[in-house]
Amino acid sequence: MIKENDKFRSDYAAMNLHDYDITTMAKEAGREEGLIEGAHNKAVENAKNLLKEGDSPEKVSRCIGLPLEEIKKLAEEVAAEKQQQKE
């Protein structure tokens, strides 16, 4: 009976450790994903600010590190926002 109890405790502890590992890994992955998304959002914000200051999409792409196609789309957004402000 004691050996069965020890085995049960050992198995239970292993299950809890496994669950803890999975939970910890999921939290770390979520945190990392959030950091990446936050960095991208900040890059987009900086790119828009540079475009508003009149920098070319090519220069912004080089400086910020976002793809030129994404910068061109942001440039269109910035131009549309300026147009709305004029109206």
Side-chain angles (χ1 to χ4, degrees), residues 5-59:
N5 217 4
D6 288 344
K7 172 127 175 65
F8 174 78
R9 286 182 185 162
S10 175
D11 290 348
Y12 183 76
M15 285 180 4
N16 282 341
L17 183 59
H18 180 264
D19 289 346
Y20 174 78
D21 287 344
I22 291 173
T23 302
T24 301
M25 288 172 35
K27 285 180 183 178
E28 288 174 0
R31 188 175 307 121
E32 185 175 329
E33 186 177 319
L35 290 172
I36 291 168
E37 185 178 336
H40 182 263
N41 290 343
K42 186 64 177 173
V44 167
E45 180 183 337
N46 289 337
K48 282 184 169 183
N49 288 335
L50 289 170
L51 291 166
K52 288 175 185 175
E53 292 295 321
D55 287 338
S56 71
E58 292 78 13
K59 180 179 179 181

Side-chain angles (χ1 to χ4, degrees), residues 52 78-87:
K52 288 175 185 175
V78 167
E81 288 172 9
K82 281 185 180 179
Q83 185 63 31
Q84 285 179 346
Q85 289 175 353
K86 288 182 181 180
E87 294 173 359

Side-chain angles (χ1 to χ4, degrees), residues 65-81:
L66 293 175
L68 181 58
E69 289 305 311
E70 186 173 357
I71 299 297
K72 287 180 178 180
K73 289 178 184 175
L74 293 174
E76 290 173 5
E77 289 177 23
V78 167
E81 288 172 9

